[in-house]
Amino acid sequence: MKIDIVSVFPEYFEVLNLSLLGKAQTKGLVEVTAHNLRDWTHDVHHSVDDTPVGGGAGMVMKPEVWSECLDELLQLQPATIENTENIEDSADSCDTCDSGNSATVAVPAESGNSEKTDTAQSSAGPVLIFPNPSAPLFTQQDATELSHADHLLFGCGRYEGYDARIPQYYRAQGIDVREYSIGDYVLNGGEVAVSVMLEAITRLLPGFMGNAESIVEESYTGENALLEHRQYTKPAEWRGIKVPDVLLSGNHAKVDRFRRDEALQKTDELRPDLIEALDCTKLDKADRKTLMALGWEVSAAHPRKR
């Protein structure tokens, strides 16, 4: 997998050379390159931002600098968007981050011949990703999908963010553009969010983890995703606190059931929305019994709290 990251602080990503991600690069599983956005500026101050149109506090990252950078990394020719909808009218399609929603047509500025009028994407095409606190939440399902991509290109915003026309333009160019939030809070820049998404994505690559089984039962993983059960290690008693007896029994069936029930109980307490999303047809008799004891109705397609 090829990974490009664009930031005004590329040195931030030296941390990616550590631990498993660093080993994955050494083994050739991933190729990570951090680029300095200021390398595509042309003024003496290497400016990447300007004041907001319409007024307001802060600065907004300029589309001219981003476009020169992204065009080079995506191997695209500059283009002019014809018959474009204004940003307000296209806001709903941006919220879904679906590159297939764009109805605009890109015409190259230097040539009338364009082969990128169709926004349908193949799995082998590059995926352009911008962290954005106003975007849909990044989930384990997104990480799993993106782990199958050949090329990921992350753009790290700063200040008041990036000009809204940047993702709009590249969607119209046929690029699969995603905008994700990693939580209901605001950071100083996109670097932390990119690091979070990168770790979630790359650890799913075949050969990345030393033991592939270690990711099978994790929180949010699988079709009927739950929060993971609690974990313990030796000694069996520590400072007066004992591990549950069933985990010492050697009865693997009972251990599996205990962990499954604990996962259901923990999810019910902390993330009932995940319980509501379960497919009742794929719950076994013991699952149903546990959920009913927790106050859930399991006779319909999905559980409902009584």
Side-chain angles (χ1 to χ4, degrees):
M1 173 185 284
K2 180 180 179 182
I3 298 169
D4 287 298
I5 308 168
V6 181
S7 168
V8 293
F9 298 111
E11 60 273 17
Y12 181 94
F13 294 99
E14 292 176 6
V15 69
L16 301 182
N17 295 322
L18 302 176
S19 191
L20 291 176
L21 188 48
K23 293 179 180 179
Q25 294 181 70
T26 301
K27 291 191 294 185
L29 291 177
V30 295
E31 175 189 340
V32 181
T33 306
H35 307 270
N36 192 334
L37 180 63
R38 298 188 193 278
D39 290 343
W40 282 269
T41 60
H42 303 286
D43 65 301
V44 66
H45 299 293
H46 300 290
S47 303
V48 298
D49 58 342
D50 207 337
T51 56
V53 174
M59 304 289 280
V60 178
M61 301 191 87
K62 301 193 295 184
E64 305 99 319
V65 180
W66 272 104
S67 62
E68 287 197 31
C69 171
L70 296 177
D71 284 352
E72 180 175 329
L73 296 178
L74 293 169
Q75 299 182 342
L76 296 176
Q77 292 298 317
T80 298
I81 306 302
E82 294 185 349
N83 301 322
T84 182
E85 303 169 348
N86 65 44
I87 295 173
E88 294 177 0
D89 291 340
S90 62
D92 290 340
S93 65
C94 290
D95 285 344
T96 62
C97 293
D98 185 353
S99 61
N101 284 343
S102 175
T104 60
V105 179
V107 179
E110 298 181 359
S111 170
N113 298 322
S114 174
E115 298 180 359
K116 291 186 175 293
T117 58
D118 186 356
T119 59
Q121 291 298 305
S122 67
S123 59
V127 183
L128 176 58
I129 302 170
F130 290 102
N132 186 332
S134 301
L137 190 66
F138 179 78
T139 67
Q140 185 67 27
Q141 186 175 10
D142 295 314
T144 300
E145 178 190 354
L146 292 169
S147 71
H148 298 289
D150 293 328
H151 183 195
L152 301 179
L153 173 51
F154 291 90
C156 300
R158 279 271 157 179
Y159 319 115
E160 290 300 308
Y162 47 84
D163 190 298
R165 291 168 294 181
I166 298 171
Q168 181 186 24
Y169 170 85
Y170 285 98
R171 286 190 181 101
Q173 285 285 72
I175 299 298
D176 183 356
V177 181
R178 314 288 184 92
E179 294 174 274
Y180 291 118
S181 167
I182 63 166
D184 295 340
Y185 46 86
V186 178
L187 303 170
N188 288 332
E191 288 78 12
V192 172
V194 167
S195 298
V196 168
M197 290 188 281
L198 262 182
E199 183 155 324
I201 294 166
T202 55
R203 67 194 304 274
L204 301 176
L205 296 173
F208 185 94
M209 301 291 288
N211 180 5
E213 292 298 316
S214 62
I215 66 173
V216 173
E217 295 183 356
E218 292 180 323
S219 297
Y220 313 111
T221 301
E223 191 173 3
N224 266 6
L226 300 170
L227 299 184
E228 188 180 14
H229 54 80
R230 292 178 293 178
Q231 297 282 4
Y232 303 89
T233 187
K234 302 176 184 66
E237 182 175 348
W238 172 75
R239 295 188 175 181
I241 306 173
K242 296 181 179 181
V243 302
D245 290 338
V246 65
L247 299 179
L248 303 172
S249 68
N251 187 320
H252 296 298
K254 287 185 177 180
V255 169
D256 289 345
R257 187 66 251 166
F258 172 83
R259 287 174 169 170
R260 177 69 173 178
D261 286 345
E262 187 171 77
L264 289 166
Q265 293 164 10
K266 187 176 182 181
T267 308
D268 169 63
E269 178 182 356
L270 300 177
R271 290 292 303 275
D273 57 302
L274 295 178
I275 299 290
E276 293 172 347
L278 294 176
D279 183 350
C280 286
T281 65
K282 297 182 179 179
L283 299 174
D284 62 24
K285 184 177 180 180
D287 288 340
R288 292 168 178 267
K289 181 178 179 181
T290 299
L291 287 173
M292 290 173 65
L294 292 170
W296 292 88
E297 171 61 50
V298 293
S299 59
H302 302 283
R304 295 177 299 173
K305 199 73 171 183
R306 292 198 296 265

